[in-house]
Amino acid sequence: MKKEATYFGVKEIARRANVSIATVDRVLHNRSGVSEKTKKKINDIITELDYQPNILASRLASKKIISLAVLIPRVSEETDFWEAPLRGISRAEAEIRKYGIQVSEHFFDLNDKHSFETQAQLVLGSDVQGVLLSPTFLDESRDFLQKCHDRKIPFVLIDSDVPDLDRLCYIGPHLFQSGYVGAKLLTYRLKENHKVLVLNISQEADSYNFMQIEEGFRAYFSDHQQPCEIIRSDISHTDPLSITRDLTRILHEHSDLEAIFVTNSRVFAVAAFLKKAARTDISLIGYDFLKQNITYLKEGLIDFLICHKPEEQGYRGMMALYQKLVLGATIEKVHFMPIDIITKENQAFYQN
Amino acid sequence: MKKEATYFGVKEIARRANVSIATVDRVLHNRSGVSEKTKKKINDIITELDYQPNILASRLASKKIISLAVLIPRVSEETDFWEAPLRGISRAEAEIRKYGIQVSEHFFDLNDKHSFETQAQLVLGSDVQGVLLSPTFLDESRDFLQKCHDRKIPFVLIDSDVPDLDRLCYIGPHLFQSGYVGAKLLTYRLKENHKVLVLNISQEADSYNFMQIEEGFRAYFSDHQQPCEIIRSDISHTDPLSITRDLTRILHEHSDLEAIFVTNSRVFAVAAFLKKAARTDISLIGYDFLKQNITYLKEGLIDFLICHKPEEQGYRGMMALYQKLVLGATIEKVHFMPIDIITKENQAFYQN
DNA sequence: CTGAAAGCGCTTACAG
DNA sequence: CTGAAAGCGCTTACAG
């Protein structure tokens, strides 16, 4: 029971090229100090042998450590959405730590742009070779990412995209299509009035996320020529009291509302309100597999949750950096997450 | 940039125990030939240091190869469902090959129990240390697995379970709940008659899979006291002609059918029939992300597909064996797959 | 029952 | 521009 004897390693390459393995190593890593002639000879042999480096041996022998920085929102009292990506990040971290990779985690406050800038500064101050970022604050993120770009630090975006930047990759939802799915699901619940509310509960009222989702949502109805009155509303103060106040007003103005589509994870706040207000006749759709959302889903107050595998976003984001930096792999520029549909019936087996 | 100096390896253990690293290695792998006293001393130090072996170094140094066998249905003309698990298996294989793991793949014919037995014999004849199996043929699988058990070969089941066996783990759907979800989805499409057909297109009419799914399906209606007439029917000849003939008869008998729930991936055959018969008024739900199914989903002939991540089942199944055999990890006895809901709108981003 | 030594396929100073 | 040698943290004969 021996490993296949057909494995060709640096030793064999060196033998065939009549050089030492040190020289082979230089060529393998594009290090300088090799004559063009030797280089070509070695590269030819590498191609011929279809040489696959043994990563285990490589990482074992190397004493270099690679440090990555993570920059995402802090888990807050208002929403624990960011728990999931963080879980994925930690899982990836545990897996790649043994390859000599170190991760520093930086958290900012969703309600405080300044905290983002502070953390971004910290990241730039430390000597990192890769960055994972949620570009929640668009302008501030651009500044930061421009600096990363200047320093040739590759970065991965999760949760939402900034398409015009030269990112290593984006891992997250196709927001437009996600809104489209939301609209479709909502039609299952529509009865006579066909009057629905699109609700954005967030400090960033004009966020790219929200606009994309709403566009997709509206597109569904225009594509299908379904008559439907769509009201939209922003709730930019995200504390429970403000939400209650605003919702009371909206429902007063539009008492014949049939359904509400919440464009992010704060749908539980709406569910809580509807429950208290005894308006369980209103259908409710929103985002994300949060404990609070699941509770209302089970109670039947929320009809559907849409989810984009936030844990996997974190995990894959880290692995993309690892694959790029350690294995030198080519990374797909965009990796859209599935648009998962969660109901009371299938929630028990959902994997974030 | 050095790796943390705080890593304790066999060398440090040996130093502290005043023995050689060979002796430490013996204790680490429960090999014989170490005095109880030394053994205890070493084990204490291992505990104290919370020693984590470096798998990279371990696999690099070891020349042992571990061979695993896969025993699943062949991709047939009738359905290419098994393409997906095989993809997952190959992906896992590529990942763990470098750790000295070899995989032999064995395929049997879904319409031929004998071919299963032939392949099972082959597996038992080769010297394997782990098995991945789809227990499609229940009795024959039992025989085979009993022999594996006698030889202390761990095995993983995917796609469907045989709960009373001492398997390493089961990775697949919770069938009952999956049927329950199917029923729920179906109610979105029900209008007046509330008359539905449960259809099992398979040679194995009495299969465990089918019965579990149907039970879940029926349970939904009884749980919700929804009046619904449920017809059930088996089509045991799975060629297109037989299916057409049987469906023609059924629709003739029950012209007021509102919906059909197909309990496996052969829903495309029903969709093709309904299309030809111009019975697009009938709602259709079935299983699995097959190319043919997706085509009909896009056309609107199929309303929902339920899917249990077959590719991931294959991948995880292999990784479970790897983790058990190479890393000595403890494996969860059951890993239920999510019950994914696929519609025309979200299919583009689905990940098998 | 125990240990010294070679080796897995790489990387890394160091010397020339 | 190039090579000899040590070493990464383990495993494996082999010798005693």
Side-chain angles (χ1 to χ4, degrees):
Chain A
M1 297 219 295
K2 283 264 174 182
K3 279 184 195 167
E4 331 101 284
T6 51
Y7 183 85
F8 298 118
V10 280
K11 213 188 275 176
E12 176 64 15
I13 299 173
R15 198 187 60 73
R16 297 203 184 193
N18 247 307
V19 296
S20 74
I21 54 169
T23 301
V24 174
D25 194 66
R26 286 182 186 102
V27 174
L28 243 19
H29 296 90
N30 275 313
R31 259 182 264 113
S32 58
V34 184
S35 73
E36 273 309 318
K37 199 174 140 232
T38 323
K39 194 167 169 179
K40 166 136 183 35
K41 186 162 55 171
I42 292 174
N43 270 136
D44 285 351
I45 296 170
I46 288 174
T47 311
E48 185 193 346
L49 258 37
D50 185 27
Y51 169 69
Q52 303 291 340
N54 185 324
I55 310 297
L56 276 70
S58 162
R59 291 310 299 170
L60 178 61
S62 171
K63 283 179 202 66
K64 268 218 206 77
I65 76 157
I66 292 177
S67 40
L68 306 178
V70 169
L71 191 45
I72 59 174
R74 185 186 307 286
V75 177
S76 73
E77 287 191 12
E78 285 179 9
T79 160
D80 48 9
F81 171 77
W82 285 95
E83 253 180 44
L86 185 55
R87 238 183 354 254
I89 290 164
S90 304
R91 189 155 52 87
E93 202 184 330
E95 233 172 79
I96 59 182
R97 190 163 25 217
K98 51 175 158 296
Y99 298 97
I101 287 153
Q102 220 167 54
V103 180
S104 64
E105 292 166 349
H106 300 259
F107 304 103
F108 56 88
D109 186 336
L110 268 175
N111 295 330
D112 179 6
K113 291 188 187 197
H114 187 65
S115 72
F116 174 82
E117 289 173 317
T118 311
Q119 293 302 318
Q121 270 311 320
L122 271 175
V123 171
L124 290 169
S126 64
D127 180 35
V128 299
Q129 280 121 82
V131 169
L132 179 84
L133 176 84
S134 159
T136 309
F137 299 118
L138 198 52
D139 296 336
E140 291 76 5
S141 295
R142 272 183 202 283
D143 279 1
F144 169 66
L145 294 174
Q146 183 58 49
K147 283 174 192 145
C148 290
H149 182 259
D150 294 344
R151 298 177 194 196
K152 306 219 180 307
I153 301 172
F155 52 89
V156 170
L157 303 181
I158 62 170
D159 193 49
S160 67
D161 198 7
V162 190
D164 51 322
L165 281 181
D166 185 27
R167 43 176 169 54
L168 179 62
C169 72
Y170 163 64
I171 297 174
H174 188 294
L175 293 166
F176 178 93
Q177 195 62 24
S178 182
Y180 201 91
V181 170
K184 164 67 172 264
L185 294 176
L186 199 131
T187 62
Y188 292 136
R189 315 261 70 189
L190 252 33
K191 290 153 217 146
E192 313 103 35
N193 306 335
H194 291 244
K195 185 169 176 181
V196 305
L197 170 67
V198 178
L199 196 57
N200 181 36
I201 306 175
S202 157
Q203 289 219 328
E204 295 271 288
D206 54 348
S207 89
Y208 175 75
N209 273 34
F210 175 43
M211 291 188 310
Q212 289 284 102
I213 290 176
E214 188 183 354
E215 243 179 72
F217 186 82
R218 288 180 183 273
Y220 181 86
F221 291 102
S222 54
D223 281 3
H224 294 75
Q225 296 163 325
Q226 287 218 17
C228 186
E229 188 183 344
I230 302 174
I231 321 282
R232 71 161 274 184
S233 189
D234 294 299
I235 298 183
S236 58
H237 293 280
T238 57
D239 58 294
L241 270 172
S242 307
I243 292 175
T244 301
R245 194 195 51 222
D246 287 1
L247 281 174
T248 307
R249 179 180 48 73
I250 295 168
L251 285 194
H252 186 73
E253 283 172 33
H254 307 280
S255 60
D256 53 346
L257 221 49
E258 271 194 353
I260 302 177
F261 177 59
V262 184
T263 61
N264 63 18
S265 63
R266 301 189 193 240
V267 55
F268 60 85
V270 181
F273 172 83
L274 291 179
K275 188 178 178 183
K276 266 197 205 140
R279 285 299 303 269
T280 50
D281 58 306
I282 297 181
S283 295
L284 188 54
I285 299 187
Y287 280 89
D288 299 329
F289 196 77
L290 307 189
K291 274 179 234 92
Q292 307 173 74
N293 286 347
I294 295 304
T295 307
Y296 289 117
L297 186 74
K298 285 191 202 162
E299 287 184 28
L301 279 148
I302 296 177
D303 291 273
F304 293 102
L305 287 171
I306 298 174
C307 194
H308 305 124
K309 297 208 188 305
E311 178 169 338
E312 199 178 323
Q313 289 182 38
Y315 177 80
R316 285 193 185 246
M318 295 303 286
M319 294 313 270
L321 287 168
Y322 160 74
Q323 275 156 9
K324 169 73 177 174
L325 262 20
V326 176
L327 313 183
T330 314
I331 309 293
E332 283 288 331
K333 285 272 172 214
V334 176
H335 184 94
F336 286 121
M337 286 287 110
I339 300 168
D340 289 328
I341 300 168
I342 307 173
T343 70
K344 185 178 176 175
E345 290 76 19
N346 74 353
Q347 52 83 21
F349 302 113
Y350 186 65
Q351 288 164 359
N352 238 340
Chain B
M1 297 221 294
K2 283 264 173 183
K3 279 185 196 167
E4 329 101 284
T6 51
Y7 183 83
F8 298 118
V10 281
K11 212 188 275 176
E12 176 65 14
I13 299 173
R15 197 188 60 73
R16 296 202 187 193
N18 246 308
V19 296
S20 74
I21 54 170
T23 301
V24 173
D25 194 66
R26 286 182 186 100
V27 174
L28 244 19
H29 297 90
N30 276 314
R31 260 182 263 113
S32 58
V34 184
S35 74
E36 275 308 318
K37 200 173 140 233
T38 324
K39 193 168 171 179
K40 166 135 184 34
K41 187 162 54 169
I42 292 174
N43 271 136
D44 286 351
I45 295 170
I46 288 173
T47 313
E48 185 193 346
L49 258 38
D50 185 28
Y51 169 70
Q52 302 292 340
N54 184 324
I55 309 296
L56 276 70
S58 164
R59 290 312 298 171
L60 179 60
S62 171
K63 282 179 202 67
K64 269 218 207 75
I65 77 156
I66 293 177
S67 40
L68 306 178
V70 168
L71 191 43
I72 59 174
R74 185 187 308 286
V75 177
S76 72
E77 287 192 10
E78 286 178 9
T79 160
D80 49 7
F81 172 77
W82 285 95
E83 252 180 45
L86 185 57
R87 238 185 351 256
I89 289 164
S90 304
R91 190 156 50 89
E93 202 183 330
E95 233 171 79
I96 59 183
R97 189 164 24 217
K98 51 176 159 294
Y99 299 94
I101 287 153
Q102 219 167 55
V103 181
S104 65
E105 292 166 350
H106 299 259
F107 304 103
F108 56 88
D109 185 337
L110 268 174
N111 294 330
D112 178 7
K113 292 189 186 195
H114 187 65
S115 73
F116 174 81
E117 289 173 318
T118 310
Q119 293 303 317
Q121 270 311 321
L122 271 175
V123 171
L124 290 170
S126 65
D127 181 35
V128 299
Q129 280 122 82
V131 169
L132 180 84
L133 175 84
S134 159
T136 310
F137 299 118
L138 198 54
D139 295 337
E140 291 76 5
S141 295
R142 271 183 203 284
D143 278 2
F144 169 65
L145 294 173
Q146 182 59 49
K147 283 173 192 145
C148 290
H149 182 259
D150 294 346
R151 299 177 194 196
K152 306 220 182 306
I153 301 172
F155 52 89
V156 170
L157 304 181
I158 63 170
D159 193 50
S160 67
D161 198 7
V162 191
D164 50 323
L165 281 180
D166 184 27
R167 43 176 169 54
L168 179 62
C169 72
Y170 163 64
I171 297 174
H174 188 295
L175 293 166
F176 178 93
Q177 194 62 24
S178 181
Y180 201 91
V181 169
K184 164 66 173 265
L185 294 176
L186 199 131
T187 61
Y188 292 135
R189 315 261 70 189
L190 253 31
K191 290 152 216 144
E192 313 102 36
N193 306 335
H194 291 247
K195 186 169 177 182
V196 305
L197 169 68
V198 179
L199 196 57
N200 181 36
I201 307 175
S202 157
Q203 289 220 326
E204 296 271 287
D206 54 346
S207 89
Y208 175 74
N209 272 35
F210 176 41
M211 292 188 311
Q212 288 285 100
I213 290 177
E214 187 182 355
E215 245 179 70
F217 186 82
R218 289 180 183 274
Y220 181 85
F221 291 101
S222 55
D223 280 5
H224 294 76
Q225 296 163 325
Q226 286 218 17
C228 187
E229 188 183 344
I230 303 174
I231 320 282
R232 69 161 276 184
S233 189
D234 295 299
I235 298 182
S236 58
H237 293 280
T238 57
D239 59 294
L241 270 173
S242 306
I243 292 176
T244 301
R245 194 194 53 222
D246 287 2
L247 281 175
T248 307
R249 180 181 46 73
I250 295 168
L251 284 194
H252 186 74
E253 282 172 32
H254 306 281
S255 59
D256 54 344
L257 221 50
E258 271 195 354
I260 302 178
F261 177 59
V262 183
T263 61
N264 63 19
S265 63
R266 301 187 192 240
V267 56
F268 59 84
V270 181
F273 173 83
L274 292 179
K275 188 177 177 182
K276 266 197 205 140
R279 285 299 305 267
T280 50
D281 58 306
I282 296 181
S283 295
L284 188 55
I285 299 186
Y287 280 90
D288 299 329
F289 196 78
L290 308 190
K291 274 179 235 91
Q292 308 173 73
N293 287 346
I294 295 303
T295 306
Y296 289 117
L297 187 74
K298 284 192 202 160
E299 287 184 28
L301 280 148
I302 295 176
D303 291 90
F304 293 102
L305 288 171
I306 299 175
C307 194
H308 304 125
K309 297 207 188 303
E311 178 169 339
E312 199 178 323
Q313 289 182 38
Y315 178 80
R316 285 193 185 247
M318 295 304 287
M319 294 312 271
L321 286 169
Y322 160 73
Q323 275 155 9
K324 168 73 177 176
L325 261 20
V326 176
L327 314 182
T330 315
I331 309 293
E332 283 289 330
K333 285 273 173 212
V334 176
H335 185 92
F336 286 121
M337 287 286 110
I339 300 168
D340 289 328
I341 300 168
I342 307 172
T343 70
K344 184 178 176 176
E345 291 76 20
N346 74 353
Q347 53 82 20
F349 302 113
Y350 186 65
Q351 288 164 359
N352 239 340

